[in-house]
Amino acid sequence: MGSVEQGPVTVIGGAGRVGRRIVRRLLERGVPVRVTSQDVRRAGRTVPDGVPLEHADVRDAATLAGPLDGCRAVVFSVEPGSASRGPDRPETTMFQGVRNVLDAAGAAHLVLVSQIYVTRSDHPMNGSGRLLDWRLAGEDLIRAGGSPYTIVRPSWLTDTRGSGQAVRLEQGDTGDGRISREDVADACVHALWSSAAIGTTFEIYNVAGPSDTNWDQLFAQLRPDPEGTGSTIRARQNGGR
Ligand SMILES: NC(=O)c1ccc[n+]([C@@H]2O[C@H](COP(=O)([O-])OP(=O)(O)OC[C@H]3O[C@@H](n4cnc5c(N)ncnc54)[C@H](OP(=O)(O)O)[C@@H]3O)[C@@H](O)[C@H]2O)c1
């Protein structure tokens, strides 16, 4: 049995391109949904009528208490800034923001949309405010915490799901490829009902094959993350960066 039996799921970034697909799927399942946005007026143009829309900025812990109060699960689908200094650097959303959400979410199941490459610090994407390092540090906070979580690492996102495209999950962050936002949204939502997805970190790719994805089978093949792990945190405690 997964983590969501009743109660709202809060989607942070629910007006975004992956987030709005997650919201749609949750509504189709009859699950109460809350969406947060930094700009509620703009988000109102995207979020379906009737869905509670609340202001929150993951960088500001005080804005999270209300939207996350009493929720069963939280999906974090936030695009980080890419500045090297100031409030729009990746550290503020992907590390401090994740920490703020963990603090406010309590025991709720947290699904984090991360990305491939996070363990490959020499990748050019790390040049933008050490995006990859901070994303990994945020992941590590989640893995080291005690609450249920699932960390989804999309490859390059596409807007369309082609026919003849299957989904492959990998672990170890060695691959490269593309994945549709539709499939990422499916992964996030199915993870909320799958005990096999709890405590896992995985990359997600489209590959040639049948598109009738069996999420239970895919999740069943995942290795759970080693308990209480957090490679970046451990490195810091041992005198690392
Ligand atoms: N592009 C790629 O190829 C790729 C590959 C792998 C992973 N990803 C990641 O996948 C995730 C989803 O991508 P997407 O295409 O759906 O992005 P998107 O359309 O830009 O949506 C991201 C959402 O993040 C929210 N956001 C930004 N800063 C925030 C903050 N400080 N506090 C709260 N919310 C904030 C924004 O919502 P509001 O402005 O309404 O608050 C926005 O709607 C992102 O983390 C992205 O980096 C992308």
Side-chain angles (χ1 to χ4, degrees):
M1 189 187 302
S3 63
V4 180
E5 292 157 50
Q6 57 183 352
V9 176
T10 300
V11 184
I12 302 174
R17 287 165 291 177
V18 169
R20 72 185 71 149
R21 289 167 164 91
I22 292 170
V23 169
R24 197 177 66 227
R25 282 160 174 74
L26 290 168
L27 293 174
E28 283 165 5
R29 285 174 175 249
V31 178
V33 186
R34 285 181 202 152
V35 168
T36 76
S37 172
Q38 300 163 100
D39 183 341
V40 168
R41 205 159 147 219
R42 174 171 43 78
R45 296 199 285 268
T46 313
V47 173
D49 289 345
V51 173
L53 187 48
E54 299 186 44
H55 172 264
D57 181 332
V58 295
R59 298 169 294 184
D60 180 357
T63 65
L64 293 166
L68 268 56
D69 182 43
C71 66
R72 285 298 182 102
V74 181
V75 183
F76 184 114
S77 182
V78 171
E79 180 68 27
S82 56
S84 5
R85 32 180 83 83
D88 289 330
R89 62 195 197 283
E91 178 185 359
T92 62
T93 45
M94 293 297 121
F95 181 69
Q96 294 162 359
V98 165
R99 189 175 52 204
N100 291 338
V101 169
L102 275 174
D103 288 346
H109 183 174
L110 175 59
V111 175
L112 175 76
V113 181
S114 182
Q115 70 163 102
I116 61 167
Y117 304 141
V118 288
T119 64
R120 295 176 251 181
S121 58
D122 54 350
H123 190 277
M125 283 189 88
N126 214 19
S128 305
R130 289 177 52 215
L131 166 66
L132 301 174
D133 291 346
W134 287 115
R135 276 200 123 132
L136 180 61
E139 287 190 3
D140 282 346
L141 280 180
I142 294 172
R143 282 187 287 265
S147 299
Y149 70 85
T150 306
I151 296 173
V152 181
R153 292 174 171 167
S155 43
W156 293 99
L157 293 172
T158 65
D159 269 337
T160 47
R161 173 156 54 186
S163 59
Q165 277 190 339
V167 171
R168 185 160 81 212
L169 306 186
E170 293 183 7
Q171 292 177 292
D173 190 27
T174 56
D176 214 334
R178 289 166 187 265
I179 183 72
S180 75
R181 288 183 168 88
E182 300 289 341
D183 287 318
V184 175
D186 271 344
C188 293
V189 171
H190 281 272
L192 295 175
W193 278 270
S194 165
S195 53
I198 290 180
T200 64
T201 301
F202 57 86
E203 299 86 49
I204 179 167
Y205 301 97
N206 280 133
V207 291
S211 50
D212 55 338
T213 308
N214 183 326
W215 290 97
D216 287 335
Q217 268 179 20
L218 287 178
F219 290 146
Q221 290 162 14
L222 294 173
R223 292 183 314 278
D225 298 330
E227 223 168 286
T229 51
S231 57
T232 310
I233 291 167
R234 216 171 35 240
R236 282 213 185 101
Q237 284 165 348
N238 293 337
R241 69 182 174 77

